[in-house]
Amino acid sequence: MRYTQLVALTLLVLAGCSRTTLVEEPQHGWNLLHPAISPDGRQIAFELFNGIWVMPYSGGQATQITSGAQTDDQPRWVPGQGGKLSYRSRRSGSEGLYIHDLNSGSEQKVSGLQDGFWTYDWMPDGRSVVFSRGRKILRLDTETNQTDVVVDSAAGGISHIRCSPDGQRIVYSNGRRVGYQEGLAEMYCVSIDGSRSVNLTGEGVEHYSPVWSPSGDRVAFVSYDAGTEDIYLINFDRDNWKFGEPVRLTSDPAEESSPLWASGDELVIQANPLERSALYRVDTASGNLTHIPVSGLDFSQQTGWLSLTVLDKANGTTIPARVYLQAEDGRAYYPAGTFPRQNIMGDRSFFFHTTGSFTMELPVGEFELDIARGFEYEAQSRLVRISAGETVELRVDLERWIDMAAQGWYSADNHFHANYGGPFRMTPELVMEMLEAEDLNIGNMVAGNSSAGRIYDLEYFNGGMHPLSGDRYQLRWNEESRSTAYGHMVLMNLKEFVYPQMTGFTLSDYAEDYPPNLDAINAAQAQGGTAHYTHPRSYEDKRRF
């Protein structure tokens, strides 16, 4: 049973009632996703804390636009509407498209667009919107609620749509199932009346998130062909409906995604060279990235502060831990400098790890805190009330109820990916912080991938324990060996990396289902290692073979 107590806390009244959070190193702050540039080029909207925020194009203080117990994403500025910003919102079990007027603060729901749409974009007239529903692309006139079909049946589920500046064409990307377990993304250009369609870069590729340039003669997109997300450009001949050869714009190890054109010679993207996802301007001639910093947050309601310290009850020392912070408004907040996490295979709750103490700004209201450290400490729960302009100082003592390591038993995770795409970039130092926060004695990290030629984290494989390992917590990189036909395995205690790491994947160097898994098993055992299959199937496969 969960133990919840309303604690008596020390309240420190701050001088003034500023609603702005300042950090010494803003480049290491929050995780910003899916930018949208205003038509006048002065502002950028983005996703943060499951909601929509806006900041100046050059960076600075970010202002909260949406609040409340819902999830808001996919910000888009409405063309020609003077400061109106739309977003998809999930509320009370359903979703819809909403428009927020930044000038008046009012919000309006688009009545003709309800549940079941995945992505969308506005036509240049600011009246019609194109959206995807499964494999269909439809166009909605928001004044008449009339809906027309643009694409009746794409090759797969549609994940991204963008309208051309003249409103005559759209580009989109769709997923397509390949082989036993591989999914690829392909891009298409279609006329707005659906009469003409052309593939941008071919089939059997991993290309997605296409977006038109302001002149409509170039498209920026994301390519995963090299095993990491990079931005590419491609020319478009409007008269002949032909696309040229893709040109790679970014090529560093970081993941770059969500491109948008700010002008004919500059893009805005999200990328993670600073570990957490941040926004960058990209010069389309050189590919150089310029960070767009967030200096602070301006919440839409009054705020206070929470200062939390987690201690080991046995000796009073500060210890790392996992923290669940459930806000009264239902949103998932986290301190600057941490990584927001989610239990995607469980109850989908949000959490973050702390090294032992943090101070963060929060909207006023009641917050439910759960602090845990693995299975050998008794978890603690607290109910905290944040008041305007005040700081709540909270100390939580975690008590170890058993020390299994002292009895010769050690906790471990044998299938642990540090990096596998996505908005974060984890270093060995950050992984070690996670092990300590989870009180996990052994972290068996696995280098691997399931597409293209790159093997994530291969640079950390050294055939032994990582130098950061200590007596209590140990870290080692081994290998995940993948086959589309025969399943994937974890190879442990390796001295040398076993090649090929993956077989049967279209974009890999071994596109056929060969060599068999037995070769990898023998190679691991020959060097004193082990091989075993990983997690079981999580659903019933009803297909007949």
Side-chain angles (χ1 to χ4, degrees):
M1 179 180 294
R2 225 163 97 141
Y3 171 67
T4 303
Q5 96 182 53
L6 186 61
V7 293
L9 303 168
T10 302
L11 299 180
L12 300 178
V13 180
L14 298 174
C17 295
S18 171
R19 294 183 292 135
T20 300
T21 300
L22 297 178
V23 293
E24 293 181 359
E25 296 180 355
Q27 69 269 27
H28 294 296
W30 300 276
N31 296 276
L32 316 183
L33 302 173
H34 305 136
I37 306 170
S38 63
D40 62 8
R42 295 180 179 180
Q43 299 182 90
I44 300 177
F46 55 88
E47 298 173 20
L48 175 65
F49 300 142
N50 296 336
I52 308 301
W53 294 66
V54 170
M55 70 173 173
Y57 180 78
S58 59
Q61 181 170 278
T63 301
Q64 185 179 19
I65 300 301
T66 65
S67 61
Q70 78 265 359
T71 298
D72 307 310
D73 59 17
Q74 295 192 39
R76 306 278 194 274
W77 297 89
V78 185
Q81 295 294 316
K84 290 188 177 181
L85 181 65
S86 66
Y87 40 85
R88 186 179 64 168
S89 186
R90 297 180 180 89
R91 308 180 183 189
S92 303
S94 63
E95 63 187 14
L97 185 65
Y98 290 77
I99 299 176
H100 183 98
D101 190 328
L102 272 65
N103 298 314
S104 66
S106 63
E107 184 184 68
Q108 175 186 358
K109 186 176 183 179
V110 178
S111 60
L113 194 51
Q114 305 293 334
D115 288 343
F117 75 98
W118 179 252
T119 186
Y120 74 99
D121 194 24
W122 288 95
M123 298 288 290
D125 60 10
R127 169 176 167 169
S128 299
V129 60
V130 290
F131 64 96
S132 69
R133 180 170 284 148
R135 296 189 177 193
K136 292 180 180 290
I137 297 178
L138 302 106
R139 177 175 56 174
L140 169 71
D141 186 317
T142 60
E143 294 185 5
T144 66
N145 283 341
Q146 178 180 340
T147 301
D148 300 315
V149 176
V150 180
V151 175
D152 186 59
S153 181
I158 296 164
S159 59
H160 187 89
I161 298 174
R162 289 293 178 175
C163 295
S164 63
D166 61 7
Q168 298 302 305
R169 291 166 293 276
I170 62 174
V171 284
Y172 67 92
S173 53
N174 62 252
R176 186 168 66 88
R177 198 74 173 173
V178 179
Y180 293 94
Q181 57 175 293
E182 185 178 12
L184 298 177
E186 298 165 351
M187 303 185 301
Y188 291 86
C189 174
V190 62
S191 59
I192 196 62
D193 62 4
S195 63
R196 192 170 188 179
S197 177
V198 62
N199 184 296
L200 270 68
T201 55
E203 298 181 349
V205 296
E206 187 77 323
H207 298 164
Y208 45 92
S209 299
V211 58
W212 294 100
S213 66
S215 58
D217 58 0
R218 285 195 294 175
V219 170
F221 66 94
V222 180
S223 170
Y224 195 71
D225 288 354
T228 184
E229 290 184 310
D230 291 305
I231 306 300
Y232 279 66
L233 303 178
I234 187 171
N235 292 328
F236 175 59
D237 182 343
R238 284 175 289 194
D239 295 332
N240 297 306
W241 271 69
K242 290 185 178 180
F243 287 89
E245 290 298 320
V247 177
R248 190 174 185 176
L249 183 62
T250 62
S251 57
D252 57 83
E255 308 280 349
E256 294 101 10
S257 60
S258 299
L260 284 176
W261 292 85
S263 65
D265 54 12
E266 187 167 88
L267 296 171
V268 169
I269 65 169
Q270 73 177 55
N272 60 10
L274 297 175
E275 298 168 355
R276 295 160 188 86
S277 179
L279 303 186
Y280 292 83
R281 301 197 309 270
V282 186
D283 182 85
T284 58
S286 65
N288 292 335
L289 275 63
T290 302
H291 180 229
I292 305 174
V294 176
S295 59
L297 303 181
D298 182 8
F299 287 82
S300 61
Q301 63 258 61
Q302 290 183 311
T303 61
W305 298 75
L306 171 65
S307 181
L308 174 67
T309 302
V310 184
L311 303 171
D312 191 317
K313 189 174 182 179
N315 52 32
T317 59
T318 302
I319 54 174
R322 174 191 286 214
V323 178
Y324 295 86
L325 180 62
Q326 182 65 44
E328 193 171 15
D329 63 6
R331 295 191 179 273
Y333 297 98
Y334 56 90
T338 62
F339 293 89
R341 305 288 183 184
Q342 186 178 20
N343 290 318
I344 60 173
M345 297 297 288
D347 61 3
R348 305 195 71 81
S349 56
F350 291 91
F351 65 93
F352 58 87
H353 294 107
T354 174
T355 55
S357 64
F358 63 84
T359 298
M360 64 181 298
E361 187 180 18
L362 290 168
V364 297
E366 199 169 79
F367 288 79
E368 195 169 351
L369 274 170
D370 291 291
I371 303 96
R373 194 179 191 224
F375 297 106
E376 298 182 20
Y377 282 83
E378 292 186 6
Q380 295 290 313
S381 299
R382 299 289 189 272
L383 204 58
V384 179
R385 178 163 293 278
I386 301 296
S387 300
E390 297 180 340
T391 294
V392 174
E393 289 192 340
L394 175 61
R395 165 179 165 157
V396 175
D397 296 307
L398 295 183
E399 184 176 7
R400 183 184 286 276
W401 65 274
I402 192 170
D403 190 346
M404 296 295 290
Q407 302 178 33
W409 295 90
Y410 299 91
S411 59
D413 189 328
N414 67 354
H415 188 179
F416 196 158
H417 292 279
N419 297 290
Y420 214 143
F424 306 149
R425 186 171 61 87
M426 302 297 293
T427 64
E429 290 77 12
L430 292 170
V431 173
M432 183 58 74
E433 289 180 6
M434 291 179 62
L435 296 186
E436 295 179 6
E438 298 289 347
D439 193 34
L440 188 65
N441 300 129
I442 303 171
N444 183 67
M445 316 304 294
V446 287
N449 202 345
S450 60
S451 180
R454 178 185 179 186
I455 300 175
Y456 280 101
D457 295 345
L458 182 60
E459 64 270 29
Y460 301 135
F461 178 89
N462 64 358
M465 287 295 177
H466 192 276
L468 290 176
S469 301
D471 294 334
R472 185 83 189 186
Y473 303 103
Q474 298 186 348
L475 178 63
R476 179 169 180 163
W477 259 271
N478 278 294
E479 178 178 352
E480 178 185 72
S481 179
R482 296 192 70 104
S483 166
T484 61
Y486 312 122
H488 63 286
M489 308 177 294
V490 166
L491 311 182
M492 298 177 63
N493 297 327
L494 298 181
K495 298 180 180 64
E496 297 181 359
F497 202 81
V498 175
Y499 292 95
Q501 180 268 323
M502 58 182 128
T503 62
F505 291 91
T506 304
L507 302 180
S508 72
D509 294 333
Y510 291 79
E512 302 298 328
D513 295 309
Y514 186 86
N517 282 0
L518 181 60
D519 284 22
I521 295 171
N522 290 336
Q525 293 178 346
Q527 53 183 293
T530 61
H532 57 90
Y533 282 92
T534 56
H535 43 74
R537 186 180 295 276
S538 58
Y539 60 91
E540 181 183 359
D541 191 343
K542 297 181 179 181
R543 294 177 298 175
R544 292 187 176 184
F545 297 96

